[in-house]
Amino acid sequence: MAEIIVPEAISGPALDALKAEFDVLCDPSLWQDESALVLALVNAKAVIVRNQTRLSGELIREASQLKVIARAGAGLDNIDTAAAAEKNIVVTYAPRENSLAVAELALGFLLNLARDIPAAHADTQSGNWNRGQFVGSELSGKTLGLVGLGRIGQMVAKRANAFDMSLIAYDKFLPEDIPVIKELGVRLLEFDEVLQQADYVSCHVPLQEETYHLFSKYQFSQMKQGACFLNTSRGEVVDETALCDALISGHLRGAAVDVRETEPPEPGGLAALNNVIVTPHIGAFSQEAQLRVVETVCNDVRAVLLGKQPKSVFSRNS
Ligand code: NAD
């Protein structure tokens, strides 16, 4: 029986080093088979997951030898951290290591929405030369509304400044007087005000009970006619049906989403609309970010198994 279970696609030099030292089971499809996962975890001391493996309270309680759960990424919404705490299982993660990759994807989305690059590309590749069909708009002078101004939101703001965008944000918990808000030139407003004033609204909140469907019919109705919506946070933060309706009616000009309510999603739906850009949850997937993420979590798993102090521990009180 392996000591470390890796039930998703995770690789890199840091994992190879772990394999040289411990008995590691890597099975990228194990997350899909809950009963096999339960069996694999019975005697395991560590499990390293991305966001696809659901580590429920029940599953955690059955894994009686488990010492550490490592999340190769930032969001912990797929792990019952309360159940882990009850069993004194350390939860480690990589909250900062992939932020830049996500922020850069959001900037890519902004440029693609402004100039309709995916549609122009597809049209040109099919043999056309329709210059007049693709008159876009500039980001300069437009207002970007950030919902959630944490690590990723701030990185997006910093980069959007280079495009001379005007920046507004809503963040329920960020103190208004922290210096970074002034440094970034962001105006903190109420949620509705951000929705009503922004040309582009970009979502960067974590998935929690309170943020489930934070963007629903009402919120989309509050957005400006012709505005665009971006989501690189979590799919369940958005009521996808309401987003589809807002796009089909033309109230929203476009949307770009990396994350979906169900992953992988059923064919059609949002992805079938021609004013939408969709990507398969690749926000964190830059080569550099993945190296950083895997190194951080593997080092922390190694530390826990050797009785040392891990560096990046999630605390439910933080
Ligand atoms: P963070 O914790 O640094 O920032 C989140 C911000 O949201 C915080 O400032 C917090 O105060 C704010 N917030 C929380 N609840 C809110 C609410 N109800 N209303 C308004 N603001 C609220 O997190 P981060 O590193 O910036 O990451 C944000 C999210 O991005 C993650 O939780 C994760 O879900 C997602 N993410 C996605 C990918 C991807 O592959 N697409 C990769 C990494 C992270």
Side-chain angles (χ1 to χ4, degrees):
M1 286 287 194
E3 293 169 286
I4 304 173
I5 308 296
V6 185
E8 293 186 52
I10 297 175
S11 59
L15 186 62
D16 293 340
L18 214 53
K19 284 180 192 166
E21 207 172 343
F22 299 93
D23 186 1
V24 184
L25 169 74
C26 293
D27 178 349
S29 58
L30 188 58
W31 65 275
Q32 290 170 311
D33 184 345
E34 202 180 324
S35 49
L37 182 61
V38 171
L39 269 182
L41 287 178
V42 166
N43 289 313
K45 293 183 180 150
V47 57
I48 307 177
V49 302
R50 287 194 191 279
N51 69 321
Q52 289 175 298
T53 313
R54 295 252 145 236
L55 292 178
S56 63
E58 201 183 336
L59 203 146
I60 289 170
R61 281 186 280 273
E62 285 193 34
S64 58
Q65 307 300 310
L66 211 55
K67 289 185 163 70
V68 52
I69 294 172
R71 160 73 171 101
L76 291 162
D77 42 277
N78 55 322
I79 298 167
D80 189 332
T81 54
E86 271 169 33
K87 283 199 65 197
N88 287 324
I89 296 170
V90 179
V91 176
T92 70
Y93 65 146
R96 282 165 292 277
E97 285 73 356
N98 60 25
S99 310
L100 181 57
V102 182
E104 288 191 359
L105 182 71
L107 264 294
F109 278 169
L110 277 172
L111 288 163
N112 276 283
L113 285 166
R115 302 298 295 272
D116 210 2
I117 297 170
H121 166 77
D123 190 66
T124 310
Q125 203 168 43
S126 72
N128 295 324
W129 194 253
N130 287 320
R131 297 179 68 209
Q133 199 178 309
F134 296 106
V135 180
S137 58
E138 292 165 1
L139 291 178
S140 176
K142 303 297 185 303
T143 299
L144 172 62
L146 297 159
V147 177
L149 193 62
R151 284 177 292 262
I152 297 172
Q154 289 176 24
M155 284 179 169
V156 173
K158 184 176 173 187
R159 285 152 184 80
N161 268 325
F163 288 100
D164 292 327
M165 297 190 84
S166 179
L167 301 177
I168 56 178
Y170 166 66
D171 191 300
K172 192 167 176 181
F173 303 106
L174 204 66
E176 277 179 39
D177 52 358
I178 59 166
V180 72
I181 293 174
K182 205 171 168 193
E183 282 159 29
L184 290 168
V186 179
R187 271 186 308 134
L188 279 185
L189 301 174
E190 293 303 320
F191 191 21
D192 274 12
E193 293 174 318
V194 168
L195 297 172
Q196 289 156 5
Q197 294 179 29
D199 300 294
Y200 295 86
V201 172
S202 190
C203 172
H204 302 286
V205 295
L207 174 63
Q208 289 162 345
E209 228 165 74
E210 150 169 47
T211 57
Y212 177 79
H213 281 192
L214 181 68
F215 286 89
S216 213
K217 187 175 175 179
Y218 170 79
Q219 287 73 28
F220 291 123
S221 77
Q222 291 302 293
M223 284 175 64
K224 272 187 183 177
Q225 168 72 40
C228 289
F229 176 73
L230 294 76
N231 188 14
T232 54
S233 68
R234 282 290 179 270
E236 297 96 320
V237 172
V238 175
D239 176 346
E240 234 176 67
T241 308
L243 177 58
C244 279
D245 290 346
L247 287 160
I248 290 166
S249 72
H251 179 64
L252 294 188
R253 181 173 65 75
V257 295
D258 182 46
V259 285
R260 305 295 295 278
E261 275 201 82
T262 309
E263 294 183 3
E266 293 293 323
L270 197 58
L273 303 181
N274 60 12
N275 47 354
V276 170
I277 298 167
V278 280
T279 49
H281 201 148
I282 53 167
F285 283 7
S286 71
Q287 291 170 10
E288 298 86 345
Q290 286 312 302
L291 281 175
R292 288 192 293 266
V293 163
V294 176
E295 189 177 351
T296 295
V297 294
C298 287
N299 286 347
D300 275 350
V301 164
R302 183 175 184 275
V304 175
L305 295 189
L306 296 180
K308 295 181 182 162
Q309 184 59 37
K311 286 200 176 121
S312 196
V313 177
F314 170 73
S315 155
R316 287 176 53 77
N317 304 319
S318 62

